[in-house]
Amino acid sequence: MGMTIAEKIIARAAGVEEVKPGQIHTVELDYLMSNDGTTHLTIDMYNNKLKNPRIADKDKIVFIVDHNIPAENPKTAAVHKKMREFARENGIKFFEGKGVCHQIMFENFVEPGQLIFGADSHTCTYGAYGAFSTGMGATDLAMVYATGKTWFMVPEAIKMEVSGELNSYTAPKDIILKI
């Protein structure tokens, strides 16, 4: 059997001809999306834990303030300020109050065949556009800021077949939630 679309995307990002489930590869990301939920933690790690930090590729990083806007307290306002300043200092694309992070990514960046990681569990929705995407934690994000790369284990693919008819009160979302 040939590779799945996810495997083809990962192989391209790893610079190899073929990948198989369970293998670990170093991959170069097309984009890294970071929102106000964890970016401040990532910036702190980047500034305080890395020796001689530098941004590997500012054009691949996107900061989006969308989770807590407007800021509901001084702590959140400080998070937004930290993101704003870091983005400005490093030439990182910055969106504030322009919409939900994933919608901004869909409208401006996501294309078929890309490998995109994000600081949000819903990043995997980019698969709707033919990209491969997944969430990533703050520590890993800091390393991607600095290197433009990360390691990734090729996931297994599963095939699911759903048969039958939906009643008038059931939607496709109900099926995936049940699965």
Side-chain angles (χ1 to χ4, degrees):
M1 184 173 104
M3 291 189 293
T4 66
I5 186 66
E7 291 165 351
K8 290 175 184 178
I9 291 168
I10 294 166
R12 179 198 54 83
V16 298
E17 290 292 318
E18 183 179 50
V19 299
K20 294 183 185 293
Q23 292 179 335
I24 296 174
H25 289 275
T26 299
V27 293
E28 186 168 338
L29 302 178
D30 293 296
Y31 283 107
L32 179 69
M33 185 280 297
S34 194
N35 63 39
D36 52 320
T38 58
T39 302
H40 61 292
L41 302 171
T42 305
I43 291 170
D44 288 345
M45 285 183 214
Y46 176 87
N47 286 329
N48 301 320
K49 301 292 183 186
L50 299 179
K51 294 180 181 179
N52 305 313
R54 66 170 188 80
I55 299 294
D57 190 343
K58 66 178 179 58
D59 295 327
K60 292 184 177 186
I61 303 172
V62 182
F63 281 6
I64 303 171
V65 175
D66 74 335
H67 278 56
N68 296 90
I69 189 166
E72 74 276 15
N73 58 47
K75 183 178 177 182
T76 301
V79 165
H80 296 176
K81 181 180 180 198
K82 182 181 284 191
M83 287 179 69
R84 235 179 267 116
E85 290 174 353
F86 190 86
R88 185 175 50 252
E89 290 166 5
N90 292 284
I92 293 170
K93 291 176 274 313
F94 182 79
F95 295 81
E96 184 171 12
K98 303 292 184 191
V100 175
C101 59
H102 306 299
Q103 188 62 39
I104 290 169
M105 291 300 293
F106 280 132
E107 291 174 354
N108 298 282
F109 303 105
V110 180
E111 294 181 8
Q114 291 178 327
L115 180 63
I116 304 170
F117 286 8
D120 188 273
S121 62
H122 297 104
T123 303
C124 57
T125 60
Y126 306 167
Y129 279 34
F132 184 90
S133 53
T134 192
M136 174 179 265
T139 304
D140 292 319
L141 287 171
M143 290 307 298
V144 178
Y145 289 3
T147 66
K149 299 177 182 181
T150 191
W151 65 270
F152 190 69
M153 182 183 290
V154 180
E156 290 185 46
I158 59 172
K159 179 180 180 179
M160 300 188 98
E161 292 184 20
V162 179
S163 61
E165 293 186 25
L166 300 177
N167 65 38
S168 60
Y169 301 105
T170 305
K173 182 174 181 178
D174 296 313
I175 295 170
I176 198 63
L177 289 173
K178 180 67 176 176
I179 290 172

